[in-house]
Amino acid sequence: MKVGFLQFCPQRGQVKENLRTIIGLIDGQECDLWVLPELCNTGYLFSDPDEAWDLAEEIPSGSTTEKLAEISVRNRSAIVAGIAERDEDQLYNSSILVTPKGDIFRYRKLHLFGYEKEVFSPGDREPEVFNIGRAMVGMMICFDWYFPETARILMLKGAQIICHPSNLVLPYCQKSMPTRCIENRVFAITANRIGSEVVGNRELVFTGGSLIVDPLGEVLAKASEDSEEFKIVDIVPKISSDKKLTRMNELRSDRRVELYGELLRNGDSDGSE
Amino acid sequence: MKVGFLQFCPQRGQVKENLRTIIGLIDGQECDLWVLPELCNTGYLFSDPDEAWDLAEEIPSGSTTEKLAEISVRNRSAIVAGIAERDEDQLYNSSILVTPKGDIFRYRKLHLFGYEKEVFSPGDREPEVFNIGRAMVGMMICFDWYFPETARILMLKGAQIICHPSNLVLPYCQKSMPTRCIENRVFAITANRIGSEVVGNRELVFTGGSLIVDPLGEVLAKASEDSEEFKIVDIVPKISSDKKLTRMNELRSDRRVELYGELLRNGDSDGSE
C-alpha cells in the first residue's frame, strides 16, 4: 500500500488557489492514501471569527470536500485533509477522509492550540477509526499529538495508520512521533505545512519536517523544513496489528486497565499544588 | 536541588557485594535524590523462582532497605533503588524510596517484561507520589515507561520528578524519555545498568545510557552505554508544576477527559482484528 504526505504552503484565505495547488501536486500520482496539512484550504490565521466563518465549509457539501472526493474517486486514492468546518452556528478545526468508494468521514480536533480557541469549538465527539479497505485509519490534528491519549484511543479502536494533518510551529512533534508509533505499534503520517503567516501582531513560522513513521519508530520518509514536497512510501499496514512486543508481552493485554482507568479519567488531580 | 543517577553493573546474586559497590560510590556525595537501577542488589536473571525467593527481601525489614535507609539519613539524600521484594508468598519487582526523614516508600512494577512474568507477580497497587520535602516524587520501573499511562498517572497525581530504575535491553527508552517528559512537563531520572548476564540459554546485554531529562525534553545528563558512572545535576523541581504550554493551553485542563476516560479503560477494544 502506498501512503504519502503533501507538504506545502497554503495561501491565507485563498481556498480556490490552495485547492488548485493541491490538485496540481497529487492528481495522477499513484498513492493509496494521501495526508495533507491542517487547514490546508484556508491557511491558519484568521483576522477574526467572521473571516473564518466565511472561509469555512459544511461537510460534505463544501467545495473542498466535494473536489477532493472527486479526485479521490478518479485517482483511487483516499485523502485526509484538514479544513475549517462550519456546522450550524459552530466552527471546527476538522479533517476529512474521502475514499475511492465515495465515503466521506470526519474528525474534529479535540485539543485546540492557543489562538484556535478564539475561533473554533473543540471537537465534541470521540475519535473514530475508519475502514478504507486496505487499512484501518484514524485521524488526529496537529496539537492532538501532544496528548498521548489521542493516539492511544485510536490504537485501541484498531487504527493501523494515524493520519496527522498539522500546522506545527513548535519543534517537539517531529521528534516525538516515533514514540507515539512505538508505544502504540502503529504507522503515523504527519503532514505539516511550511511558510509563515502574519495577521496583526501574530506571526507564525511553520516548521515543515513532515514525516512517515513505522510501528517500530523508524522514520520511513521525512521532508525538509521549508520546501514544498511530497513523499510516498510503500507500507504493509497489517504489521501494525501485531502487538506482541516479546513472546510474553502484548501491548494491549499488558495494559493494567484495572489499575489506571479511573486515574486517567480524573483530570482534576494535582496533588503537588 | 541536586539529583543523580548511579549506573553500574550489579553482580548476579551478590547482594552484599552490590550493596558495597553502591555505598562506595554514593556515600559522602552531595546529592538530594539518587536513583539506582532496577534489581540493583540481586542482578536481573534468576535461575529459577527459588533463587529469586532466597535473594528477595521484605520491605522495610530487608538488609538492602535497612542499609540504604541508614545511608539516606547519614547523607541527607533520598534514594530510589530497585530491589526484589518478598511479601508473604509473592515476589515483586519493586523499588523503594528512602528519605532522610526516615520514610520508606515502595512501588511495585506494574508492567512486567518477558521472563519477569515467570518470577514476579505484577504490581497490585496504583502508582503513588511521595513528598520528599524538596519535591514530589513518583516511581516507575524499566518497561513501565513503554505505557504512557504510567507517567501520565504520576503526573496527574502531582509528580514533579519521575524516578525510573531500569535494566533496559532495548534501545527505545532512552530516545523516548524526552517525549514522556514533554507530554507531562516533568523531570525524569532513568538509572539503567550496564554489563550482561547469562543464565542457561538466556543472554542479556544491558544498554546503559542512563539519563536525566527536564520538563521541556532537554537531556541534562547522559551516561555512556557501557561504563560505571554517576552524574549529578542541579534542578528546580517546581518548574514542573507549571503546566501552561501557551497563554491559552494548560496541559491538565486541556485534556478532554469527558471524551476519553472510558475509552482508555477499555483494554479489550481492537476493531482491526
Side-chain angles (χ1 to χ4, degrees):
Chain A
M1 177 181 182
K2 290 183 192 298
V3 302
F5 60 74
L6 171 61
Q7 168 173 300
F8 74 111
C9 181
Q11 301 302 308
R12 224 180 66 71
Q14 307 297 313
V15 174
K16 277 188 189 163
E17 188 181 329
N18 292 330
L19 206 45
R20 210 177 301 129
T21 301
I22 292 165
I23 293 169
L25 288 161
I26 73 174
D27 197 20
Q29 301 287 344
E30 198 187 324
C31 183
D32 301 300
L33 173 62
W34 277 110
V35 184
L36 313 181
E38 180 183 16
L39 295 170
C40 70
N41 61 336
T42 57
Y44 184 72
L45 289 175
F46 304 101
S47 309
D48 53 52
D50 285 347
E51 189 188 36
W53 184 261
D54 292 340
L55 292 167
E57 62 180 59
E58 294 184 351
I59 298 172
S61 63
S63 62
T64 309
T65 307
E66 280 197 341
K67 193 70 190 165
L68 291 179
E70 183 191 316
I71 296 287
S72 171
V73 171
R74 188 162 83 219
N75 286 312
R76 308 189 58 75
S77 302
I79 304 170
V80 170
I83 66 174
E85 180 195 1
R86 194 165 69 191
D87 185 25
E88 299 192 346
D89 61 346
Q90 302 292 310
L91 287 175
Y92 298 98
N93 183 340
S94 296
S95 63
I96 51 168
L97 163 59
V98 295
T99 80
K101 282 176 62 182
D103 291 324
I104 297 174
F105 302 114
R106 163 183 35 201
Y107 165 73
R108 291 170 172 168
K109 188 174 186 176
L110 287 186
H111 308 91
L112 297 174
F113 184 72
Y115 121 99
E116 296 168 31
K117 294 188 180 187
E118 296 171 6
V119 176
F120 298 108
S121 299
D124 51 353
R125 301 178 193 179
E126 289 181 8
E128 296 295 343
V129 171
F130 307 102
N131 188 341
I132 63 164
R134 306 183 76 153
M136 299 294 290
V137 168
M139 292 181 272
M140 62 183 190
I141 300 177
C142 204
F143 188 51
D144 282 330
W145 81 267
Y146 198 99
F147 298 81
E149 291 88 349
T150 323
R152 199 60 153 179
I153 289 167
L154 291 172
M155 181 277 281
L156 289 171
K157 290 193 167 192
Q160 296 169 317
I161 306 172
I162 293 179
C163 298
H164 185 209
S166 297
N167 276 191
L168 296 159
V169 293
L170 297 175
Y172 305 124
C173 175
Q174 292 93 334
K175 288 181 197 163
S176 292
M177 286 309 292
T179 300
R180 289 284 172 269
C181 291
I182 289 169
E183 72 201 15
N184 292 302
R185 282 277 176 113
V186 294
F187 290 92
I189 306 167
T190 298
N192 194 18
R193 62 163 290 177
I194 53 168
S196 60
E197 289 189 1
V198 184
V199 169
N201 54 10
R202 281 202 176 95
E203 178 171 3
L204 294 174
V205 178
F206 301 96
T207 54
S210 298
L211 72 170
I212 302 175
V213 185
D214 82 4
L216 296 180
E218 292 299 317
V219 176
L220 304 179
K222 180 144 195 196
S224 73
E225 289 173 18
D226 51 12
S227 59
E228 179 178 289
E229 57 187 300
F230 62 84
K231 296 216 188 251
I232 297 172
V233 300
D234 244 309
I235 65 166
V236 179
K238 74 162 187 265
I239 67 167
S240 80
S241 297
D242 174 15
K243 307 294 190 194
K244 273 192 99 63
L245 308 176
T246 72
R247 193 171 55 81
M248 300 180 72
N249 290 99
E250 208 270 355
L251 174 49
R252 289 164 301 189
S253 59
D254 275 358
R255 295 176 71 235
R256 303 295 309 282
V257 286
E258 74 282 12
L259 285 176
Y260 46 62
E262 274 306 320
L263 297 170
L264 290 173
R265 196 158 55 173
N266 178 7
D268 304 320
S269 166
D270 58 340
S272 70
E273 289 184 342
Chain B
M1 177 180 184
K2 290 183 192 297
V3 302
F5 59 74
L6 170 61
Q7 169 174 299
F8 75 110
C9 180
Q11 302 302 306
R12 223 180 67 69
Q14 307 298 312
V15 174
K16 276 189 192 163
E17 187 181 330
N18 292 330
L19 206 45
R20 209 176 304 128
T21 301
I22 292 165
I23 293 170
L25 288 161
I26 73 174
D27 196 21
Q29 300 288 344
E30 197 188 325
C31 182
D32 300 300
L33 173 62
W34 278 109
V35 184
L36 313 181
E38 179 183 14
L39 295 171
C40 70
N41 59 336
T42 58
Y44 184 72
L45 289 175
F46 304 100
S47 309
D48 52 51
D50 283 348
E51 190 189 34
W53 185 261
D54 291 339
L55 292 166
E57 62 180 58
E58 293 184 351
I59 297 172
S61 63
S63 63
T64 310
T65 307
E66 280 197 341
K67 193 70 191 164
L68 290 180
E70 181 190 317
I71 297 288
S72 172
V73 171
R74 188 163 80 219
N75 285 311
R76 307 189 61 76
S77 302
I79 304 170
V80 170
I83 66 173
E85 180 194 0
R86 193 166 70 191
D87 185 25
E88 299 193 346
D89 60 348
Q90 302 292 310
L91 287 175
Y92 298 99
N93 184 339
S94 296
S95 63
I96 51 168
L97 163 59
V98 294
T99 78
K101 280 176 63 182
D103 291 323
I104 297 175
F105 302 114
R106 161 181 40 199
Y107 164 73
R108 292 170 171 168
K109 189 176 185 176
L110 287 186
H111 307 91
L112 297 174
F113 185 73
Y115 122 99
E116 295 169 29
K117 293 187 180 187
E118 296 170 6
V119 176
F120 297 107
S121 300
D124 52 352
R125 302 179 191 176
E126 290 181 9
E128 296 295 343
V129 171
F130 306 102
N131 188 342
I132 62 165
R134 304 184 77 151
M136 299 295 291
V137 168
M139 293 181 272
M140 62 183 190
I141 300 177
C142 205
F143 188 50
D144 283 329
W145 81 267
Y146 197 98
F147 298 81
E149 291 87 350
T150 323
R152 199 61 153 179
I153 289 167
L154 292 172
M155 181 277 282
L156 289 170
K157 289 193 168 192
Q160 296 169 317
I161 306 172
I162 293 178
C163 298
H164 184 209
S166 297
N167 276 191
L168 296 160
V169 293
L170 297 175
Y172 304 125
C173 175
Q174 292 91 335
K175 289 180 195 164
S176 292
M177 287 308 292
T179 300
R180 288 284 170 270
C181 291
I182 289 168
E183 70 201 15
N184 292 303
R185 283 277 177 112
V186 293
F187 290 92
I189 305 167
T190 297
N192 194 18
R193 62 164 287 177
I194 53 170
S196 59
E197 288 189 3
V198 184
V199 169
N201 54 10
R202 281 202 176 94
E203 179 171 4
L204 293 174
V205 178
F206 301 95
T207 55
S210 299
L211 70 172
I212 302 175
V213 186
D214 81 4
L216 296 180
E218 293 299 317
V219 176
L220 304 180
K222 180 147 194 192
S224 73
E225 289 173 18
D226 50 13
S227 58
E228 178 178 291
E229 54 187 301
F230 63 82
K231 295 216 188 251
I232 297 171
V233 299
D234 242 309
I235 65 166
V236 179
K238 75 162 188 264
I239 67 167
S240 81
S241 297
D242 174 16
K243 307 295 190 194
K244 273 190 101 62
L245 309 176
T246 70
R247 193 171 54 82
M248 300 179 73
N249 290 99
E250 207 270 355
L251 174 49
R252 290 165 300 189
S253 58
D254 275 358
R255 294 177 71 234
R256 302 296 308 282
V257 285
E258 73 283 13
L259 285 176
Y260 48 61
E262 274 306 321
L263 298 169
L264 290 173
R265 196 159 53 173
N266 178 7
D268 305 320
S269 166
D270 58 339
S272 68
E273 290 184 342

